[in-house]
Amino acid sequence: MTGAPTSSPTGPRPEDTRPAPARTLDVGRLAQADRVARRREEGTGAGDGTVSQRNPYRPTMKRTWFLATKEYRAYFLREGAAVVVGLFVLNLMLGMVSIAAGLDSWTWWVDLQRNPFVLVLNVLALAAAVLHTVSWDQLTPSIIKVQRGTRFLADGWIIAQQVLLLVIFAAVMVAWLGGAWS
Amino acid sequence: MAHSEAGGVMTVEVQRYRPDVDDTPRLVSYEVPWTQDTSVLDALNYIKDELDSSITFRWSCRMAICGSCGFMLNGEPKLGCEQFLRTYAPGPLRIEPLANHAVERDLVVDLEPFMTKLAAVEPYLHPDPTGTPEPGNLQTPEQMTRYGQFAACINCMLCYAACPQVGLATDFLGPAAITAAVRYNKDSRDFGNAQRLPLLDQEDGLWPCTFVGACSTACPKGVDPAAAIQQAKFAATMDWATEFVMPHHGAPGAKDGGHA
């Protein structure tokens, strides 16, 4: 065993000039509490000064903290996926600008979509969108609470409602783009 | 390492830090005999009783209700009394103080920042300013269900050790304090919402939360602090939006968003 302290102070500390604590009443302890409270107000912190030898160790987070646990990795995947979606949106906006700029630039943008990097970006963006959809559905039941008496509606119902809304929205969009109202 | 179904001897590595001697903490290994019902707290008490009386750690109830014995066990925040050595067989088991906290000595961390944050949200009933409650200040089981889950918090600070945002933004109010605020805001007997909202709805209030969700996984009492924080975000956003429609909650001349 190597952990035994070798130089911890055991005798009375030279700087300790407090009067002996009262033995019969708790007056001494209250006075001590007052001193601690006063130090806190002065910003020197409870336990600092002559009462103890505080020397707290302040750990720092590693630069690679987001790899430490499964949850952190999942969280960073969610956050990182937003970058891919952002690049996809930039590409889409470029397409809109090129339509406005005329046929030549539009042809250029359509050709650009055959670029392997853009193809990979599109595939990654699809994966990111699926990830965000799934994690959104997983997390929503934590926020949307529907109370029925002394119970809450089961998570499955909240997720089902989300999926139902998505299906309705997608169906309306497909019908609209397909010219159902034209 | 000798071990079997019934138990054996496990190497337990404990992070030691002596504030008067050490500059940085270090791991010290101990050989601890264990059986099926040896908890991590039992192991620490064995070390203190039999191997090294200078080892320092907090504990009290041994039954996961006092919230004193939170440690990092192999890097995960857990209550020492609730975890058993058999889970970590054949070992070694690494015991460290709660992450994201200043270490005072060995496994003891500084509670002061958390206590300050918890007290800041005024986690107690604010009575109705317009009248005296009925004798007993009763509420129905349905009213209790609204906040019941969030009332199970034992302030063990495992969620603070689990949350990377607490480590990155040290002034973040944090999971348990926000949950305590939500618990009282949802209480039918409480009228302190207006006092708590300005504290929650600020940069270091609930907004540093990025919904990592690690607090809810770490919670030994099933409180789900992540849910409480997201619900508080939703409530704060609704309050912000309501200001456009009905400034100061419709109270004429009220300052600070009607938070009288």
Side-chain angles (χ1 to χ4, degrees):
Chain A
M1 170 46 233
T2 54
T6 50
S7 61
S8 77
T10 48
R13 292 169 192 151
E15 70 272 31
D16 192 349
T17 55
R18 288 172 299 162
R23 298 269 172 211
T24 48
L25 288 170
D26 261 0
V27 174
R29 207 173 296 166
L30 288 174
Q32 162 108 354
D34 277 351
R35 272 198 295 279
V36 168
R38 209 177 310 128
R39 279 203 194 86
R40 202 171 295 167
E41 280 170 14
E42 288 163 1
T44 45
D48 286 349
T50 58
V51 177
S52 73
Q53 296 193 355
R54 279 187 68 192
N55 179 26
Y57 172 75
R58 296 177 197 283
T60 49
M61 286 176 84
K62 282 187 192 159
R63 282 173 182 276
T64 55
W65 64 266
F66 51 87
L67 300 173
T69 70
K70 203 175 124 191
E71 269 161 335
Y72 293 178
R73 289 192 289 272
Y75 162 65
F76 240 67
L77 194 63
R78 287 203 300 274
E79 299 285 302
V83 176
V84 179
V85 174
L87 288 172
F88 172 80
V89 170
L90 275 180
N91 180 41
L92 213 57
M93 286 169 73
L94 192 66
M96 289 164 70
V97 170
S98 61
I99 286 181
L103 186 61
D104 284 349
S105 62
W106 170 246
T107 316
W108 168 81
W109 188 79
V110 171
D111 285 341
L112 181 70
Q113 301 315 298
R114 297 197 182 94
N115 186 303
F117 288 106
V118 180
L119 279 172
V120 169
L121 175 70
N122 279 314
V123 171
L124 287 178
L126 178 65
V130 170
L131 173 71
H132 280 283
T133 308
V134 170
S135 60
W136 175 275
D137 281 343
Q138 281 172 343
L139 299 176
T140 308
S142 298
I143 306 162
I144 309 293
K145 290 284 178 196
V146 182
Q147 193 178 338
R148 313 283 286 180
T150 56
R151 304 184 84 97
F152 292 100
L153 212 57
D155 288 1
W157 287 107
I158 307 292
I159 295 173
Q161 169 250 334
Q162 295 273 319
V163 173
L164 186 67
L165 280 176
L166 181 72
V167 167
I168 291 172
F169 177 75
V172 169
M173 287 301 283
V174 167
W176 178 51
L177 292 173
W181 289 286
S182 61
Chain B
M1 195 58 42
H3 74 277
S4 68
E5 280 290 306
V9 177
M10 190 185 292
T11 302
V12 177
E13 301 169 339
V14 182
Q15 180 175 307
R16 304 295 307 269
Y17 172 68
R18 296 162 299 172
D20 47 351
V21 182
D22 299 332
D23 290 327
T24 50
R26 68 219 154 84
L27 286 175
V28 178
S29 291
Y30 303 93
E31 299 297 315
V32 179
W34 63 278
T35 57
Q36 283 293 299
D37 56 0
T38 305
S39 70
V40 172
L41 183 61
D42 289 337
L44 284 170
N45 274 321
Y46 174 85
I47 295 169
K48 188 165 180 75
D49 291 345
E50 307 291 338
L51 304 177
D52 181 359
S53 61
S54 73
I55 190 170
T56 309
F57 53 95
R58 288 193 178 102
W59 67 284
S60 180
C61 76
R62 318 178 313 283
M63 48 200 286
I65 198 62
C66 77
S68 300
C69 66
F71 309 115
M72 304 300 285
L73 303 184
N74 285 353
E76 289 180 350
K78 302 273 186 193
L79 290 180
C81 61
E82 216 185 16
Q83 301 300 317
F84 292 86
L85 256 59
R86 62 171 189 256
T87 313
Y88 300 91
L93 167 64
R94 195 173 73 254
I95 309 179
E96 295 162 302
L98 287 178
N100 304 331
H101 290 83
V103 181
E104 292 290 349
R105 183 185 193 94
D106 295 346
L107 300 172
V108 171
V109 296
D110 184 9
L111 304 178
E112 205 59 34
F114 169 67
M115 292 301 174
T116 308
K117 289 169 186 174
L118 185 64
V121 301
E122 306 185 8
Y124 38 82
L125 290 180
H126 290 239
D128 187 352
T130 61
T132 318
E134 295 288 312
N137 207 358
L138 302 177
Q139 63 183 180
T140 64
E142 287 78 16
Q143 287 171 326
M144 195 186 142
T145 302
R146 274 195 85 208
Y147 68 84
Q149 182 186 21
F150 301 142
C153 175
I154 57 172
N155 298 323
C156 65
M157 296 156 55
L158 294 195
C159 51
Y160 282 70
C163 175
Q165 288 301 100
V166 169
L168 295 167
T170 46
D171 289 335
F172 173 33
L173 202 49
I178 296 172
T179 305
V182 172
R183 174 249 175 274
Y184 283 95
N185 283 346
K186 285 179 180 287
D187 194 317
S188 59
R189 302 162 297 179
D190 179 82
F191 293 83
N193 194 354
Q195 279 96 320
R196 294 186 194 103
L197 187 67
L199 188 85
L200 297 176
D201 189 12
Q202 61 173 332
E203 194 175 343
D204 289 330
L206 46 82
W207 298 112
C209 170
T210 51
F211 209 168
V212 179
C215 52
S216 296
T217 312
C219 182
K221 308 308 283 186
V223 171
D224 202 351
I229 301 174
Q230 309 324 308
Q231 290 172 30
K233 281 181 186 171
F234 189 73
T237 308
M238 290 307 287
D239 190 82
W240 172 81
T242 309
E243 276 294 299
F244 291 103
V245 186
M246 195 170 61
H248 311 319
H249 296 245
K255 289 178 187 171
D256 193 21
H259 306 140

